[in-house]
Structures are given as C-alpha cells and as structure tokens.
Amino acid sequence: MEVVMIVNRTVHVLVALPSLFLASVAPAQAASSQMTAYEAQLGQCIREAAAGRTWLERTLWGLRDQEAGWIGAEVLNTNGSHDLGPLQINSSWVPKLAALIGRPASDIRFWLVNDPCFNVQAARWIFLSGLSVTGDYWKAVGVYHSPTAWRQRRYVLSVSRHLERRFGARVFSAASTAAQR
C-alpha cells in the first residue's frame, strides 16, 4: 500500500510538472520580449549618439556590453559613488554634467538612471572628452572607467573582448575601420 501511495504521489508530481513549466514560460517570454524592446531602444540611442560614425557606435556598444547596466540601475561602489543606468556612468560625473548643461545635479542623476538616451549621450561625452585629452583611443576607453592606470589596462582588455565578441575579430583591422566610416 505504501508503494502505491509513493507511485501515486510521483504520478501527481509528474502530471503537475508540465503545467508548472508552461506557467513559468509565459513570464519568461514576456521578460524576454521586454528585454528585446529595451535593447532595441538602447540600440537606437547608441545609433543617434554615434551620428553615423561606425567606430563611435561600436565603441559605445563595447562600453555598454562591458558595463551591462539597466534602466533604474544605481550600483553602489566601494568608494561610496554609484554607477548609474545602462552604461553605468559614475556618479562623480553628475556635478560636471550638471555644470555643462546648466541643470541641477538631481535632474542629471535622475536622467542618468532613468533615460537610456541621456545615459548614452553622457557616455559619449565622457569617452570623447577622454579621447580629446589623451589623443589615444584605448587610453580614452580606460579613462571612461577609471583614473587609475592599472584599472584602465584591465578595463581596456575587457572592452576589446566585448568588441570582438559583438563585431568579430576584424573589428580592429584598419581596412574594416576605414571601410565603415
């Protein structure tokens, strides 16, 4: 009798599993659809920020893939600063951006966290400012992340891997870059 009860319980569990699986698929599909829409929106923001410059669009994708933030992100760092939004703009940039565009720091922080296009435009400005100061593409990628040299080197290696993963090994070839301009 005891064996039959165990078998019956097993049968009930096996019968219930497909319905549990199906019930879990619908939210997963909805989340996947929502994520696809979010990535499409972010992609549009990146294209707009790059303004037709393929090298800049790829750079922003490399930074985005490395940072892997999201709308609403406010990630606390060990130094007390926060990384904000999809491209994880460090909160130390908030006062500089506020002064640059003449808006309160609270507005800037809110937009960095909640507006993907504002976040991407800020990332573009930070990267291009670093490029202007250093005159070196990879140094500017490193500066985007940190003022510390060893952190910059580690970050550059990681971003370059993301760029290769997304765009292929030829992403760094001079012919590929020239043809894409």
Side-chain angles (χ1 to χ4, degrees):
M1 184 89 129
E2 199 167 287
V3 172
V4 172
M5 288 180 68
I6 292 172
V7 169
N8 283 342
R9 285 184 191 159
T10 304
V11 169
H12 289 293
V13 169
L14 290 175
V15 168
L17 280 177
S19 61
L20 288 174
F21 174 75
L22 290 174
S24 68
V25 169
Q29 287 174 337
S32 176
S33 175
Q34 194 173 28
M35 191 58 140
T36 301
Y38 167 70
E39 287 297 318
Q41 179 186 17
L42 195 56
Q44 183 60 36
C45 296
I46 288 173
R47 279 187 296 286
E48 288 172 11
R53 292 178 282 180
T54 302
W55 67 271
L56 184 53
E57 184 174 337
R58 288 181 177 186
T59 301
L60 292 169
W61 274 115
L63 296 173
R64 189 279 181 275
D65 290 346
Q66 171 63 32
E67 296 298 340
W70 59 96
I71 294 175
E74 294 184 271
V75 179
L76 179 63
N77 295 312
T78 56
N79 66 1
S81 68
H82 289 86
D83 289 336
L84 309 171
L87 276 90
Q88 296 287 272
I89 307 297
N90 190 278
S91 58
S92 66
W93 288 103
V94 170
K96 292 173 188 118
L97 292 166
L100 181 69
I101 62 174
R103 294 298 297 256
S106 59
D107 287 353
I108 302 304
R109 185 180 177 101
F110 179 84
W111 294 332
L112 286 172
V113 170
N114 296 295
D115 182 338
C117 286
F118 186 83
N119 189 277
V120 169
Q121 288 290 347
R124 174 187 180 272
W125 180 81
I126 293 166
F127 169 73
L128 290 176
S129 295
L131 186 58
S132 176
V133 168
T134 66
D136 181 281
Y137 176 86
W138 289 112
K139 183 76 172 161
V141 168
V143 167
Y144 178 87
H145 175 66
S146 172
T148 309
W150 70 267
R151 287 190 171 126
Q152 291 173 0
R153 286 189 298 274
R154 187 177 65 188
Y155 188 80
V156 162
L157 286 173
S158 188
V159 169
S160 69
R161 286 187 201 112
H162 283 290
L163 286 167
E164 264 190 80
R165 224 173 283 131
R166 182 177 280 272
F167 298 108
R170 294 191 45 142
V171 70
F172 302 113
S173 74
S176 170
T177 306
Q180 300 280 333
R181 288 188 189 153

